[in-house]
Amino acid sequence: MYIEQAYKGFHEGWRYVVGIMSIFIGWQVVGMLPLMGTLITKSKGQVMPTDISGMAALLGSNLFLFLMLLSFAFGLLATFLTVKLVHKQKIVDLTTSRKRVDWNRVGFAFLLWAIISIIMVGADLVFSPEDYVFNFKLEPFLYLLVIGVLLIPIQTSCEEYLMRGYLMQGIGILAKNRWVPLVITSLIFGLLHLGNPEVEKLGYGLMVYYIGTGLFLGIMTLMDEGLELALGFHAANNLTTLLLVTSDWSAFQVESIYRDISEPQISWNIFIPVLVIYPALLYIFSKKYGWKNWRERLSGNIQAEESIN
């Protein structure tokens, strides 16, 4: 019943067109003004860098990260305002089919994936120590920690509320089924990462990972009838990545504890999460939360509006 929560607000097609435009302006126009203004000021008439490495070098990695993540706060606010003002829908109905947000679910998914991520990084440090250098510097790391804890959950929530929330519900009630929004939002989520430096370095094969991650998050949302697990997982994924390992070719070029100095290449390691780890996580969640009727929840038709209102 998660997608059907959109019926509790106004859901005409034109409202989603206006909503998407409003969210884009809030996120990518208004939200980018602090970063662009600071870059212009710091450039002092010189050519302003447009790549992540150049902007981080000009501003300092922590300031650049703060301003980059700040844009997601504007994006999340724009999403919430669009839902409230354009669709007259409650935020809780955008979040879950339950009567209230289940924060225990958010916390469980966060802790589970944070622990697994730390173990995987630790294992790689043990078996491939030549690929890493110890990069820990107390003062910049403490600033990084504060920025990450405060803004990474906002960044990931912005993406989840837009992808698995607003678009999943909107496309679902327009398509009248569940598989179309699942596929489309997964593809959009992957394409949004197309400009990441990892893709430029490793090639388009990495899109299998991003699209696969979007599919995993979408399946989790539809099976659990809410965003809670996706919110927790996504926040843990980005926060552990930010704090533990950085590299010269990643989206997060910051003062993490370790720096990856290996020469990156597409290998089976890229696909292990999509083919092995994500299915295992879905199995764990299914057992814990009693998921049933997989076919109906992932590909069934949307119930009529009259059965909701």
Side-chain angles (χ1 to χ4, degrees), residues 206-220:
L206 188 59
M207 296 304 294
V208 173
Y209 167 75
Y210 287 122
I211 294 173
T213 300
L215 186 63
F216 163 69
L217 291 166
I219 292 173
M220 195 156 50

Side-chain angles (χ1 to χ4, degrees), residues 195-255:
N196 281 20
E198 297 98 326
V199 178
E200 181 180 352
K201 185 72 174 180
L202 294 170
Y204 294 118
L206 188 59
M207 296 304 294
V208 173
Y209 167 75
Y210 287 122
I211 294 173
T213 300
L215 186 63
F216 163 69
L217 291 166
I219 292 173
M220 195 156 50
T221 298
L222 290 179
M223 289 305 302
D224 200 50
E225 301 289 3
L227 283 178
E228 292 98 333
L229 295 178
L231 288 169
F233 172 91
H234 202 164
N237 183 74
N238 286 24
L239 186 59
T240 54
T241 300
L242 179 78
L243 298 178
L244 295 180
V245 181
T246 187
S247 69
D248 294 332
W249 43 268
S250 63
F252 290 146
Q253 297 180 20
V254 292
E255 297 293 343

Side-chain angles (χ1 to χ4, degrees), residues 238-276:
N238 286 24
L239 186 59
T240 54
T241 300
L242 179 78
L243 298 178
L244 295 180
V245 181
T246 187
S247 69
D248 294 332
W249 43 268
S250 63
F252 290 146
Q253 297 180 20
V254 292
E255 297 293 343
S256 306
I257 297 175
Y258 287 93
R259 179 174 295 276
D260 185 345
I261 59 172
S262 64
E263 182 60 32
Q265 58 183 348
I266 291 288
S267 67
W268 278 106
N269 289 338
I270 297 294
F271 305 108
I272 286 176
V274 176
L275 299 176
V276 178

Side-chain angles (χ1 to χ4, degrees), residues 1-7 89 92-98 160-161 163-166 168-169 178 221-222 224-228 302:
M1 299 297 289
Y2 174 68
I3 288 178
E4 286 90 338
Q5 300 303 303
Y7 285 136
Q89 183 185 10
V92 69
D93 293 330
L94 183 68
T95 308
T96 183
S97 60
R98 287 168 276 275
E160 289 308 310
Y161 273 104
M163 292 290 110
R164 260 67 60 180
Y166 188 70
M168 180 80 80
Q169 288 187 353
R178 304 178 195 282
T221 298
L222 290 179
D224 200 50
E225 301 289 3
L227 283 178
E228 292 98 333
I302 299 302

Side-chain angles (χ1 to χ4, degrees), residues 15-16 19 23 82-83 87 94 161-162 165-170:
R15 293 182 187 272
Y16 284 97
I23 294 168
T82 296
V83 169
H87 297 274
L94 183 68
Y161 273 104
L162 177 57
Y166 188 70
L167 292 181
M168 180 80 80
Q169 288 187 353

